[in-house]
Amino acid sequence: MPVPAFLRENAPWLTAGVLLTFLSSFGQTFFISIFAGHIRADFGLSHGQWGGIYTVGTFVSALAMVWAGGLTDRFRVRVLAPVILVLTAMACLAMALNPVWWGLFLVIFALRFSGQGMTSHIAVVAMARWFIASRGKALSIATLGFAGGEALLPLLFVSLMTVWDWRLLWIVAALVALCGIPLLALLLRHERTPQSWAQSDRSLGMLGRHWTRRETLHHFLFWFMAPALLGPSAFNTAFFFHQVHFAEVKGLAHFELVAMFPLYTAVGIGAMMLSGWALDKIGTPRLIPFSQLPMVVAFALFAVAPGPWTLLTGFVFLGLTTGFNTTLPNAFWAEFYGTGNLGSIKAMAAAIMVLGSAIGPGLTGFAIDLGLGIETQYLIVAGYFVFATVMMAIGVTRARTLLAPAA
């Protein structure tokens, strides 16, 4: 189906996906970190204390995702998503009204669980279920909300922070999340019947069946994929979490580094759309083993970059894997393990990724405190992505033969 016709026929469901991924921004690191300076100042926290609170809250949210992610197998989007958006709004209000430092543990947990975790999880599981032949296009379009939030919200809220108190802006965020509920209800008045339910034979995984979460956890492929799930969330998050320190090490003003972010976002969007088209044409098994090779180049360049132009090239490669990573892994679970228990299986993958985003900032910050420079760390990170790529290639190559019975 031509893209314009695909967009016309599926506009309500695709727009619902974009809306959900956009609203997940309020629990993402790029948004929360905007307020880090004010949070540390108001509660008298050091960088290490704030980073520790963030790590603990994120880690607990990853544990909660293991259970809660399976709710997408039991409830439709129009039922589950409004509940999660209410939780997101409550978490934003809690950040605005919280009077004590130890309350931040609960606030960060709630923001990370409802925003980064469940809101984005609902969106990508819905796309994988609602679309089969055009799953790649659907995922790439729906996840534009991530890029939109990353491109617009920091600039908007940093500008507003010059005239409004930071706590008031969290109330604004809560209102935006609540406004998403009637919009979602309007878009999903006639929620799409998932093709994976209506034509389940077309959505089977390896060995021509739907896998349970328990079976997936006992299958070799899941563990060969685990390093690739952990890596991007851990070290992408760490890179942006330590951006001020990195700029100082490179002898740049923070603004000079931030000015490179739009290129990263633009490349990410392009890679996301390209990978969505390619996986529909070529298939996930052929594409996903190579998806993290640009990350090797990116972190190697960040480590050795002598000036801005090399850093800019690093952002191009970082954006490539970021774009690939928004579509390929989500299609991977549906293609290899079927869609019958997709929510539960994807929840495990999401928990690993959320865990990575908890580990990354704390691990790299601790290493900085121990005297291991950020540039040296990034060379090690590049080596990690070589390892993750080799593991993926071995696992996917072995598992591809098991897809044949589903053909």
Side-chain angles (χ1 to χ4, degrees):
M1 182 186 298
V3 173
F6 175 75
L7 294 175
R8 282 196 306 271
E9 292 188 15
N10 299 285
W13 306 293
L14 294 172
T15 305
V18 172
L19 177 63
L20 285 171
T21 55
F22 178 81
L23 293 176
S24 77
S25 298
F26 299 125
Q28 302 281 4
T29 299
F30 75 79
F31 185 79
I32 298 172
S33 63
I34 294 170
F35 303 92
H38 291 283
I39 292 170
R40 289 191 297 103
D42 278 24
F43 293 102
L45 300 173
S46 69
H47 286 282
Q49 289 169 328
W50 165 237
I53 290 170
Y54 197 80
T55 295
V56 171
T58 303
F59 176 76
V60 178
S61 75
L63 297 179
M65 276 296 299
V66 175
W67 169 79
L71 295 175
T72 54
D73 293 330
R74 299 171 55 192
F75 299 99
R76 284 184 174 272
V77 175
R78 67 169 179 257
V79 174
L80 183 58
V83 175
I84 298 301
L85 289 178
V86 169
L87 292 178
T88 302
M90 292 173 63
C92 292
L93 287 176
M95 179 65 92
L97 303 175
N98 173 49
V100 291
W101 70 267
W102 48 264
L104 290 171
F105 285 103
L106 181 60
V107 172
I108 294 302
F109 160 75
L111 285 170
R112 301 291 275 165
F113 170 73
S114 63
Q116 185 208 25
M118 284 301 292
T119 305
S120 57
H121 176 68
I122 292 169
V124 297
V125 169
M127 293 304 109
R129 275 215 174 101
W130 289 346
F131 301 91
I132 295 178
S134 300
R135 182 178 287 140
K137 285 199 291 287
L139 284 166
S140 62
I141 292 167
T143 51
L144 284 172
F146 291 129
E150 192 174 56
L152 299 175
L153 292 179
L155 181 62
L156 175 61
F157 276 76
V158 168
S159 300
L160 291 174
M161 215 182 302
T162 61
V163 292
W164 288 358
D165 182 76
W166 71 273
R167 292 180 182 270
L168 181 59
L169 293 180
W170 279 101
I171 296 176
V172 173
L175 293 175
V176 173
L178 290 175
C179 287
I181 296 174
L183 285 175
L184 203 62
L186 182 65
L187 291 167
L188 298 180
R189 284 178 302 172
H190 307 291
E191 184 169 339
R192 184 184 181 98
T193 299
Q195 291 182 28
S196 57
W197 297 350
Q199 303 178 47
S200 60
D201 60 317
R202 294 183 61 195
S203 303
L204 300 173
M206 293 177 290
L207 301 176
R209 62 187 179 89
H210 295 295
W211 291 64
T212 66
R213 180 159 71 182
R214 180 180 177 82
E215 291 170 336
T216 300
L217 287 173
H218 284 83
H219 190 252
F220 72 87
L221 181 57
F222 182 88
W223 299 106
F224 273 87
M225 290 295 296
L229 296 173
L230 190 71
S233 60
F235 298 116
N236 242 23
T237 302
F239 178 81
F240 287 103
F241 195 83
H242 295 297
Q243 60 185 266
V244 175
H245 175 69
F246 182 67
E248 291 173 355
V249 169
K250 290 299 182 181
L252 298 173
H254 186 207
F255 177 79
E256 291 179 278
L257 184 68
V258 171
M260 301 179 188
F261 291 1
L263 176 64
Y264 159 77
T265 301
V267 172
I269 292 172
M272 181 169 56
M273 302 302 291
L274 177 63
S275 62
W277 173 84
L279 74 85
D280 287 338
K281 298 292 184 182
I282 302 172
T284 312
R286 289 191 178 95
L287 293 173
I288 199 166
F290 307 102
S291 62
Q292 294 190 6
L293 286 176
M295 212 68 127
V296 178
V297 180
F299 278 95
L301 288 175
F302 290 151
V304 302
W309 289 108
T310 310
L311 287 176
L312 205 61
T313 306
F315 276 108
V316 170
F317 283 96
L318 190 69
L320 287 173
T321 290
T322 300
F324 297 155
N325 219 47
T326 56
T327 54
L328 295 177
N330 295 313
F332 167 84
W333 300 110
E335 188 163 342
F336 278 83
Y337 292 103
T339 53
N341 302 292
L342 182 61
S344 298
I345 294 169
K346 180 71 175 62
M348 288 299 302
I352 291 175
M353 289 187 283
V354 175
L355 177 63
S357 69
I359 293 172
L363 180 63
T364 50
F366 183 64
I368 291 170
D369 289 344
L370 290 178
L372 186 63
I374 197 73
E375 292 173 312
T376 302
Q377 289 190 51
Y378 285 166
L379 284 176
I380 297 171
V381 170
Y384 175 90
F385 282 111
V386 172
F387 165 72
T389 296
V390 171
M391 291 289 285
M392 262 197 302
I394 294 171
V396 171
T397 300
R398 287 182 59 192
R400 280 178 65 178
T401 58
L402 304 178
L403 291 171

